[in-house]
Amino acid sequence: MVSAQAIEEIYNPTAVIQADNEFAAVVANHFSAILFNADDRVNQVSSDKLTAYTDGTFVRFRAMVQDTSSSPELYVAKLSNHRCGGWGLSTSDSNEASDSVGYQDLQELTTMWAVSVPAESPWHSEEVSPPVSSIPHKFPIPDASHVGVQIKMYDNTSAQLLKTTDILTFVGILSSEPVSAELNSPPDVPVLHVICYQPISESLPDIKEPCSVRRELISWISEHVIGGDDLVAEWLLLQLSSKVHTRASPFLPPSLTISHFPPPPHPNMHPILSHALSELLQKYTPIPLSLELLNTRSFTPESREEDLHSGYLQLPAGTTILLTESALREGKVTEKGLMNIQAIQEIMNSQTLDYIFPFSRFTFETDISTIVLAEGRKSAFFQEDQTALNVPLQCNLDSNLYRSKEVAWPSSEKLKTFRSYIAACKATAGKVKVTEATSKHIQEDFVRQRQEDKMTTPDDLVHLMKAARLLAASYHQEEVTVDVWEKMKELEVARKMRTVSLNVRT
């Protein structure tokens, strides 16, 4: 049961701040203890008033950090009558004369910019039709509606722990102010004076029969999404199970190219696969590649006039992107287009993204899963190496790959089960181990393979080991067993046979 005092503090936080008159960290710890507990009391705080800009409103904001490069600000930390400043109190107090403030009463706060979580699927998002921000260039996905908020953090030590693309729940006092004093007529933007925050952690329900759910999901994807192709459905599930669990280059998750994917019957149509991924994954966005998009849009964040403009690829960890090539036509790829293609390739190869500044660039780590739909034998742009998989599609002649309204979608309960299952696969992927006995079996088996096929290389072993870990995770097993290894070899043989067969015919 929530105490009356706690409720009063939640809905009147300024009273507590003034009463404590202590450091920002003490305030953050105080409210964190009240809000972020086992009862999830934070959910009692409104999250739908951010666009109202009502000064003094107590709100929470589930957001992605977009820009941490803003300069710190000074605020009046100590007001008259020994009252506490900060959290919007000093700026809202009209009785506080500027000439009565001493240097010793000033402190620094950290500012940053945060946005609605980009690429978050509608079923997982808290927001309902958010408006377009007055500063759209700070959101990764072009022309997408979202909320952008200037964050002010008074606990500077805690603020230093945050980095771009982090997803957090901020709780604080809302106000508004011009975004920049340097502009002639700067727009007012919402400002959140953060009292406390917490990184987002997803709870994973227990899947009682993962093998059964796995069969059902692969069957549904094969039959209703990709034209009856069980092999592609198997490899697609492995891709959906992947995540970065170590930065050692050979063990980064692979990218997946589904080649020989038919073009849409009409321009600008999304494949059913895109609709399915948006229903199954928490964070997903399609990127329909075209020369216009590549040559005009920025895929990497870039600082211009001390303002970090976002890029298409500034996405939170765990996002899956679907790169479709059906809109590509003959034409020239400009220098900007080549830079965008290289940025995507770097994510595929090394899971990194460069942020561009006037006289330098900084490399940031990513965790983005990439799926490419190519009409030909391979992607028109992206290289295939040990980090990439190519699985040709072999669907039924009368397959429906684009008309999503004709698809038999699972029930809401079944979709919920599929979503939980995939989330659990991703969580398991980072825990999968290989026992000494299994490792010995794999080494001996691979030696036999190299003796039988002189074209086999150590890169093939690395690829198989990565895929075997994902296959184990798809069964919710934390160990690569001999059975998993043998099943993985079967999938790889089927993939290679199909690749050779279709490439010979084309």
Side-chain angles (χ1 to χ4, degrees):
M1 182 176 179
V2 183
S3 68
Q5 179 183 357
I7 292 176
E8 174 62 24
E9 291 175 349
I10 289 174
Y11 288 100
N12 187 19
T14 56
V16 178
I17 293 172
Q18 292 181 12
D20 281 350
N21 192 26
E22 294 186 52
F23 294 107
V26 175
V27 175
N29 291 337
H30 176 85
F31 279 95
S32 292
I34 295 174
L35 297 170
F36 300 117
N37 53 25
D39 298 330
D40 280 334
R41 226 171 274 170
V42 69
N43 292 327
Q44 298 181 26
V45 182
S46 174
S47 63
D48 59 359
K49 297 180 181 178
L50 288 173
T51 56
Y53 302 170
T54 304
D55 286 358
T57 307
F58 190 51
V59 297
R60 61 184 166 92
F61 183 33
R62 189 171 183 273
M64 184 193 82
V65 177
Q66 187 270 330
D67 183 5
T68 61
S69 64
S70 303
S71 300
E73 296 181 2
L74 290 175
Y75 72 98
V76 182
K78 185 178 179 182
L79 306 179
S80 58
N81 300 324
H82 303 288
R83 291 176 302 142
C84 174
W87 295 277
L89 299 177
S90 55
T91 55
S92 62
D93 195 331
S94 59
N95 297 323
E96 202 69 30
S98 59
D99 56 2
S100 65
V101 176
Y103 180 78
Q104 69 279 3
D105 298 327
L106 301 178
Q107 289 190 22
E108 267 192 1
L109 62 84
T110 301
T111 63
M112 58 186 69
W113 190 261
V115 295
S116 314
V117 180
E120 193 164 47
S121 297
W123 62 267
H124 189 63
S125 174
E126 289 186 347
E127 295 174 356
V128 179
S129 300
V132 175
S133 168
S134 57
I135 312 180
H137 66 261
K138 296 187 78 65
F139 194 71
I141 301 174
D143 305 319
S145 59
H146 67 282
V147 175
V149 176
Q150 186 180 53
I151 299 295
K152 295 194 175 186
M153 296 191 63
Y154 297 82
D155 182 2
N156 293 305
T157 302
S158 180
Q160 300 309 310
L161 302 176
L162 303 186
K163 59 184 184 299
T164 56
T165 71
D166 281 349
I167 302 179
L168 310 111
T169 296
F170 294 103
V171 179
I173 301 171
L174 192 65
S175 68
S176 64
E177 62 184 54
V179 65
S180 174
E182 298 176 1
L183 300 177
N184 293 329
S185 55
D188 278 4
V189 299
V191 176
L192 188 62
H193 301 270
V194 174
I195 293 175
C196 58
Y197 73 87
Q198 186 180 60
I200 298 296
S201 59
E202 303 291 347
S203 59
L204 296 175
D206 183 37
I207 305 297
K208 295 182 179 179
E209 297 181 358
C211 293
S212 176
V213 175
R214 185 185 190 279
R215 285 194 300 270
E216 288 184 85
L217 178 57
I218 287 178
S219 176
W220 179 76
I221 291 176
S222 173
E223 182 178 355
H224 299 288
V225 178
I226 51 176
D229 194 329
D230 291 344
L231 182 63
V232 169
E234 285 275 2
W235 283 99
L236 178 63
L237 178 57
L238 299 193
Q239 183 67 19
L240 300 185
S241 303
S242 67
K243 65 172 294 184
V244 175
H245 63 87
T246 175
R247 288 286 164 180
S249 177
F251 295 102
L252 288 171
S255 62
L256 173 66
T257 296
I258 303 177
S259 56
H260 294 277
F261 201 94
H266 304 288
N268 302 321
M269 285 187 70
H270 288 296
I272 295 173
L273 176 59
S274 181
H275 298 281
L277 295 179
S278 69
E279 290 292 339
L280 294 172
L281 304 176
Q282 294 179 3
K283 294 185 286 293
Y284 161 77
T285 188
I287 302 182
L289 295 178
S290 66
L291 290 182
E292 181 183 4
L293 180 73
L294 289 168
N295 292 338
T296 60
R297 296 288 186 177
S298 293
F299 279 52
T300 57
E302 182 177 357
S303 180
R304 304 173 192 168
E305 298 179 352
E306 299 185 357
D307 180 19
L308 185 66
H309 290 227
S310 190
Y312 222 143
L313 300 176
Q314 192 186 25
L315 299 169
T319 300
T320 295
I321 59 176
L322 180 69
L323 301 157
T324 57
E325 299 183 349
S326 59
L328 290 173
R329 300 293 182 267
E330 289 187 9
K332 180 181 179 181
V333 180
T334 64
E335 182 180 356
K336 187 181 188 70
L338 291 173
M339 289 177 61
N340 287 332
I341 293 170
Q342 181 61 32
I344 299 172
Q345 190 73 62
E346 283 300 313
I347 285 180
M348 293 178 174
N349 294 348
S350 61
Q351 284 293 339
T352 58
L353 178 66
D354 282 352
Y355 284 45
I356 301 172
F357 292 86
F359 303 104
S360 61
R361 59 176 59 206
F362 295 93
T363 300
F364 287 77
E365 295 177 345
T366 63
D367 184 359
I368 298 173
S369 179
T370 55
I371 302 170
V372 181
L373 300 186
E375 293 182 22
R377 293 183 297 174
K378 60 181 182 178
S379 169
F381 290 126
F382 307 113
Q383 302 172 0
E384 294 183 7
D385 53 19
Q386 66 268 23
T387 65
L389 293 170
N390 186 335
V391 188
L393 181 69
Q394 199 168 35
C395 59
N396 302 324
L397 293 178
D398 58 347
S399 297
N400 168 27
L401 298 176
Y402 286 93
R403 295 183 295 276
S404 60
K405 293 182 179 180
E406 301 176 12
V407 173
W409 295 97
S411 66
S412 57
E413 281 301 312
K414 184 61 66 177
L415 266 178
K416 185 177 179 180
T417 300
F418 286 165
R419 293 164 181 166
S420 299
Y421 162 79
I422 292 173
C425 288
K426 283 181 172 288
T428 306
K431 305 175 184 177
V432 176
K433 308 294 182 184
V434 182
T435 65
E436 186 175 344
T438 303
S439 178
K440 183 179 180 181
H441 171 86
I442 291 173
Q443 291 177 23
E444 293 173 351
D445 189 33
F446 187 70
V447 169
R448 286 194 296 270
Q449 288 183 49
R450 295 198 70 177
Q451 291 172 345
E452 296 170 1
D453 183 1
K454 301 300 182 182
M455 299 296 291
T456 302
T457 69
D459 285 343
D460 293 316
L461 177 60
V462 172
H463 154 66
L464 279 173
M465 286 300 300
K466 286 196 297 187
R469 289 174 183 271
L470 295 177
L471 183 61
S474 74
Y475 287 105
H476 290 190
Q477 297 178 9
E478 296 185 7
E479 177 186 330
V480 175
T481 62
V482 173
D483 288 342
V484 167
W485 174 252
E486 295 300 323
K487 172 66 174 175
M488 188 66 257
K489 289 198 302 179
E490 292 175 9
L491 288 174
E492 177 66 357
V493 168
R495 184 186 74 85
K496 286 186 172 181
M497 288 179 62
R498 180 180 294 186
T499 300
V500 171
S501 172
L502 289 178
N503 285 351
V504 168
R505 281 189 283 170
T506 56

